[in-house]
Amino acid sequence: MGRHVLGRRTAAPAAAVLLCILLAGGCASSGQNVADTPSTSSRSDEVVPPLPEADQRTLHAAQMKLVARCMKDAGFEFEETSFDEIKASDDRAVEIAAGASRRDEVEKDHTLARKIGWGIDPDTAPTPEPAEDVQPPAGPDDRARQEALFGTRYEKVRTAQGSVLEYPTDGCQASADRRLYGDVGGWNVSTFHAANLDSIVGAVVDRRSDVRTVTRSWRRCVKDATGEAVKDPDGAYARALEWNADGVPQAKDREIALATAVYRCDDQHRYTPVVDAAWRTELLKEKKAPNGLIVRYLELRARGLREARTVLEE
């Protein structure tokens, strides 16, 4: 499974990036792309360690082999997708996700867009998106091929967080999963949970009384020191980027003052230690949760890797 980047950055690194950029004279100026660089690590990596790339390649190769064999038996050709092609697509998706909210913002404000160099001219109307290449309706052969690959029967499961997860129970894709992991339903449900663990645990951490209390104290401290209302250290980083992009007078001094307050208030109220401790506690609870989804995911992943090696030897 490719790791989904849904995690939250810790408090200290965001502030550290801000202060490092400011004091090193590295703030983006007008015309530079200031979108944040995505991180591929997450807090949950200690609970769900990412597979080494070699093991990911093994699983992918085995799955492609199983699907191709199944499709051939069903009378269809199947063009395998390389691991590198999928990885490049995933990496691009991470970059897009990291910049999506900022891009939405600047596309609504063409002046800001021009300042930070995203190529939108505020003096002219935005260039319309090219018309999508409309494909003809799928013919009987195309539909039959899709049904052979993705199946016709789907299972719907409501997760503990209220999302509805839908996955195929027949077809060559499900057949490959069944061979590798044994339990198609268990694999899909536990994979979804593991992939979104940062988001799931982050929501729990935000609701904890100790985190809410220390966050309120931290916000008051920063506002008293700078007059700026920010949500958290990441919010302070975003605020500094906005000042720079908007060409606010004396932005440099304000940015340094904000970064300094972030650190001082963090030390004064122990913001980062409290938040980090809350994350460790909640991640440990998830690892030992009664629903056993993390344990189940790790068991099925290990089984899949063992089966994949067998498949590749066949």
Side-chain angles (χ1 to χ4, degrees):
M1 178 196 72
R3 295 289 297 148
H4 292 59
V5 184
L6 298 177
R8 297 142 44 110
R9 290 176 300 193
T10 58
V17 169
L18 173 60
L19 193 58
C20 177
I21 289 175
L22 301 179
L23 299 184
C27 286
S29 61
S30 214
Q32 289 180 305
N33 188 336
V34 297
D36 195 12
T37 301
S39 170
T40 55
S41 63
S42 70
R43 288 183 181 267
S44 63
D45 284 353
E46 294 182 10
V47 176
V48 186
L51 275 179
E53 185 173 310
D55 289 344
Q56 294 181 42
R57 289 180 179 275
T58 297
L59 279 169
H60 174 78
Q63 188 167 53
M64 288 294 99
K65 183 176 180 179
L66 290 169
V67 172
R69 181 192 300 169
C70 175
M71 290 294 285
K72 182 179 179 180
D73 291 344
F76 297 98
E77 294 183 358
F78 176 72
E79 183 178 348
E80 298 184 19
T81 304
S82 72
F83 177 86
D84 290 329
E85 183 179 350
I86 293 178
K87 185 175 184 298
S89 176
D90 286 347
D91 290 345
R92 177 60 181 152
V94 169
E95 293 175 1
I96 292 173
S101 60
R102 185 64 171 163
R103 185 171 294 276
D104 288 345
E105 177 184 347
V106 299
E107 285 181 348
K108 294 174 183 176
D109 182 347
H110 292 173
T111 302
L112 177 59
R114 182 174 60 176
K115 286 179 180 177
I116 66 176
W118 280 13
I120 300 177
D121 185 353
D123 299 324
T124 60
T127 303
E129 293 290 334
E132 293 185 5
D133 182 17
V134 180
Q135 298 295 326
D141 290 344
D142 291 331
R143 287 196 297 270
R145 184 182 182 281
Q146 291 296 308
E147 290 176 355
L149 180 58
F150 298 114
T152 58
R153 296 189 297 273
Y154 286 77
E155 185 76 22
K156 290 185 178 181
V157 177
R158 185 172 294 278
T159 68
Q161 291 71 41
S163 302
V164 176
L165 176 64
E166 185 175 15
Y167 58 88
T169 58
D170 67 337
C172 290
Q173 183 67 55
S175 176
D177 285 347
R178 187 171 291 107
R179 167 65 192 275
L180 292 173
Y181 306 108
D183 179 0
V184 174
W187 173 244
N188 278 277
V189 173
S190 64
T191 296
F192 178 86
H193 192 80
N196 292 283
L197 190 57
D198 275 340
S199 179
I200 292 168
V201 173
V204 175
V205 168
D206 287 344
R207 292 194 298 267
R208 284 177 56 114
S209 60
D210 56 345
V211 171
R212 295 176 68 178
T213 298
V214 75
T215 300
R216 284 195 297 267
S217 298
W218 181 89
R219 289 174 182 167
R220 283 196 300 269
C221 179
V222 172
K223 188 169 185 179
D224 289 345
T226 65
E228 300 297 333
V230 292
K231 181 180 179 181
D232 52 30
D234 279 346
Y237 181 42
R239 178 66 58 83
L241 290 177
E242 290 169 4
W243 289 337
N244 182 264
D246 289 337
V248 174
Q250 289 81 46
K252 187 80 169 183
D253 292 340
R254 290 177 64 185
E255 290 168 351
I256 293 176
L258 180 58
T260 302
V262 165
Y263 271 114
R264 183 178 61 78
C265 294
D266 192 316
D267 290 342
Q268 181 177 335
H269 296 282
R270 294 183 52 77
Y271 174 87
T272 294
V274 171
V275 173
D276 284 350
W279 268 91
R280 286 192 296 271
T281 298
E282 298 303 331
L283 282 171
L284 185 59
K285 287 181 182 178
E286 270 294 325
K287 186 176 182 179
K288 299 181 177 180
N291 62 17
L293 287 176
I294 297 303
V295 172
R296 184 62 174 155
Y297 167 73
L298 293 173
E299 290 174 348
L300 292 176
R301 191 176 73 173
R303 181 193 191 279
L305 190 56
R306 291 193 302 269
E307 285 296 317
R309 295 187 179 114
T310 301
V311 167
L312 294 179
E313 291 175 355
E314 294 175 349

